[in-house]
Structure formats: C-alpha cells, structure tokens
Amino acid sequence: MRIQRIFKTVAALAAGVSLLASGASAQEGGTVAIMGATVFDATGAAPRKANVLLRDGRIAAVGPDVAAPAGATVIAAEGKALLPGFFDVHTHWTPNGDPADTPAIATDYVRAGVTTVNDFHQPPESYAPRRRWLSQLASPHVNLTARMSTPGGHGADWADTATTKWVNTPEAARKAVRELLPYKPDLIKAFHDGWRYGLSAENTSMDTWTLTALVDEAHKHGLKVVTHTVTVPRGAEAAKAGVDIIVHSLQDQPINAATVALIKQAGTAYAPTLAVYEPVKPGQTPPADPQNGRYVQSQRKFAFALQNLKALHDAGVLVALGTDAGMPGTPHGVSTLHEMELMVQAGLTPVEALMAGTANSARAMGMLDDRGTIEVGKRADLVLLDGAPWTQIADVRKTERVFIDGRQVVGPGVALPEANGRMTLPAEPVQALIDDFEGEPGRTRLDTLRLQDTDGGMDRSVLVGQVRTQPDGDKVLSLAAKMSVKDDPQVGVILPLSRGSVTPADASRYQGLKFDLRGDGGAYELRVRTVSGWWRAPVTASPQWAQVAVPFTSLKPVEGRGGAEGPWTGTDLLEVELAGSRPAGETLWLEADDVVFY
C-alpha cells in the first residue's frame, strides 16, 4: 500500500561523494573573489572574462576590473566558465527513488550545480519539518509544492487526500487553495490532464472551470500554479485558465498555431521534461525488438515532444527547465543537465538551453529579481565549470565548484556537512499515548494529522472515518468502508508519529502497542512503518470492545516490495496503521480507541 511513500535503505551515496564532517566551508561568512572566469551571466550578453565578488550571500560586484579585497578568499578561475546555478522546476523527492533519502538527493543536486528545484512529492504536513531538515544540509533551494487532482485522477490515484487534494468543482478548488495556506506552500501543482499516454482510458481530466478557479484563487494569494498537462487540446485549456507553467511535454500530436498563440498570449511558460520521456535513457539498452508496440509509441510521443518544444520556443514562449526527476530512469541532478542536452537535440542552441536552465526558469517562477543571472545584488548561486557550455552543451557536466548563497558547497577543499551523510533526521523519543481521539479534530495526541489510507488506482475503496461520541461521552474512531473491485483491496487509518512522518520516533523503551478495538468479526492488521519499511501483525476484532496488545516481537516484515529491510530496532518508527481487507465489493467496519505504546 502507498508504495510510493515507502522508504528504502540506502547502502551508500554515489561514488566519490565526500561525507566528511562538518559543514562550514572556508568561505562561509566571508568574501569570495572569483577571478578571471569567463562569465555567462544569462542576461543575454555574450560570455566575457570578468571577476565576480561574493559577499553576504549576494553578488557584490562583476567586471573585468573588480579587485579582490583584503582578506577575501580568492579563487583563480582563468579558463573556467562561471554560470548562474541551474534550476529544475519539476522534481519528485520520492522515498522510492534512487537515491531514496533526502540528504542523498540534495547531494546529487548540488554536485550537478543545480541550486533551485521544485519538489512535487510531499504532503503539506511535512513542509515545516522538511524545511528545518533542508536547512541542515548542503542542498538546493527547494520549493515545496502542494498538489491537486480530480478524484481518482493522476496524482490522486496513489496518494492520500492530504498529499493530493481532490477537487472537481470551482468551489472545491477555491476551498482547497485556502486550506493549504497555513502550510505556506511555495506553489501549487494541478494534475489537469488525465490522459494516460494512450495506455488507458482518459476519464479523469480537470475541467476548465475548476482549473480556472484554482488558478484565480492561488494567484489571489501570491501562489503560482503549474500543471501536469500532456496533450495539445489540454495545453490550450491550461493557457486559457492562466496557468503559470506547463510542466510536461504536449505529446499526443503536433501542436497547432492556435494553441501556440494561446500559450504565448497567456504568458504561460513551458517546461517539457524531455528527460523523463526519452525512450532509451542514458545507460539503458534499446529493446531487442525495435518494433515493440510500447517502444514504438514512446518514440512517436517523444518525437512530438521535441517538435512541439521547438515550435513553442520559436514562437517566443518562455521555455523553462524541468525533468520529472525521481521517476523511473530519471535520476536527480544529472537529469537536469541532460535536459539541456535534449533541448539542443530538439533544435535549441546551447545558449538557449542554458537560458532555459537559468534565467528563464527564474522568470517563470517569479524569482528573477532574486536569482537566475549573474548581476550585482542577486543571490550568489553559481556553478564554475570546465569548458564552454554555450558552444558545447555537454560541458555542463564538468562541474568544478558550486556556490549556494555565496558559500562554496562543492569543490576543492570543501566537505559536505555531516547531515548529508545521514539517511534520516535523528530519532526523537515518543510519548506513550498516540491517540485517544479526544483532542483537536482530525489530529492525534502527538499533534499529527490523522490520515485515511486506501488502495491505489482510479477505482479505489471508499472509506469514511469519523470520531464518534459514545453514550458515556468517550470518543472513539469509527471507520466504515466498501471495497473496490480489485484483487486485495485495502483500507486503513494512519497515525503519524511525527509531523508529516519526517522525524523518526524512538520507541525503544516500549515493548509494544495496545489499543481498544471492535469490528465486524473479521481479520485486520496492525502495521508499523519504519525508515527501512513496513512491519505487520494480524489482529482480530469482534463486535464487543476488547483491548488488543501487540508486542514488537510479534511484528513481521511485510512481504515483497515495501517490506522492512534489516532487524527491528524500535528506534526509527514513522507511522502506525490499523488496516483491513475484505473481498472485492464487500464492506468493513472497525472502531478503535486509546492507541498507546506500552
């Protein structure tokens, strides 16, 4: 269940990554003078030799006659190329990717010279703890993105309704935007186009009225909206709705002049994520049968993607850079660099591809006043390279040094912070009482958001959960469900042990879990998610209340994908779940109270 949210143990970071302790570089808090580099400033000016002075996280001076002040750290950069740090406006920091953990993903980005990304994968409950975590790492600036889709639509077909809000009317879209505001999202992603790339029926697209209301409400609150839009007709609708960036390729057919005109007139930017659609990705082997139907179809769609990018660019549409990194075959960091190579393959010049990866993306995100070019006053996010990528785009891979906020995070003499080498945040002790359902509505006694969990797919089991007051005034959790028509349908309630399930809970001083339970007389499961995967134990419940105690020693790893790797420690718990399954189309009910560690 919810495989996409399951952590996998990472054995090691990529070869050559230094995990030596301690974070502060020699340049932190001081002045840095980068002398003699050939500067591609992304303003439209030709590359030129110049000195660049960094002070207090900003670019203090740029020019051929800028001198290094006394006490500055001087970097001799003759023969090197200095560029603004790269952007990736479409990434997924997934817990089932490669790498799987936040520090390793951050490391891959900074080593590639990527200094600003949008992450489309996190539940809003996790934003505050994730921001604190990222602040401890050598990491790009990460914009955390709230997600909306239609019921059963793309992006809602696996996630809970807190991770991806379900909307299918203008009123619901406006309400969902307002509900997100306390979490302070950096932007919103709408799964607008339900086309499944010709592999299954398209029956989940967001209608124009709902998308328009979503965009209007988001803009009222200063939030940009990007869309998963992958067909030409829906591209026209996204433009009419005022979407800020289309963050996928339009790839079902050649784009027509009317749609190009609509996108340009709306000021909608376009980030084609070619890296995720490339039929044979770097390191992969072409299929043995070149006439394989799915392979032929992927080649055809990719040809449309390349063609449509060139047509939109040539018409003056702002092209930004996104990759969908974190999806299969699209690794973090290097895919951002490869995306520029694929843009050149589509017919853009190396300079135009570099502009997409720097100033254009900053402009699309409304950040150009702060970063994206090498100009005085801008944020000092920079990458120093060998070669001349404005003539040979592959040179973007020749990273020597990377600066974020004026601090060197990659390059000679610099070690990554110790936190970049840890898979998780340090565990924190957890109190015994998880939930007695007497506290703030919707939240556990740990002040975490209680989550309803159902099986994935467009056809999902229906689960209704509510806190019910009994005749004696005690409150209990009541669940009622009807199973979807599929093999092994599932429902459950998740009790996160920390806000957003980010910080592991240390329950090693306890022996197990106990709770009061009653139900329809069938079988249920207690599940515990840890950093290394899921554990389970069967439980039963009759219509009469009874206390159930489950010692940790009775928990077994879930079989197959998502199951825990390694022994039980009790020191890395993330979530507790009460779950159940019944045959397709049948019903289930369950009530629970007083969930505690003992």
Side-chain angles (χ1 to χ4, degrees), residues 25-34 53-59 73 75 115 141 378-382 402-409:
S25 75
Q27 293 81 38
E28 186 171 15
T31 299
V32 179
I34 304 172
L53 199 63
L54 315 182
R55 183 182 295 119
D56 298 327
R58 296 278 165 175
I59 298 170
T73 298
I75 296 173
T115 58
H141 305 286
K378 295 288 182 77
R379 190 179 295 270
D381 294 348
L382 306 170
V402 178
F403 300 84
I404 297 178
D405 289 333
R407 175 188 167 201
Q408 185 179 326
V409 294

Side-chain angles (χ1 to χ4, degrees), residues 16 99 141 153 210 249 276 306 387 406 509 580:
H141 305 286
T210 300
S249 285
V276 79
L306 296 173
R509 72 178 188 270

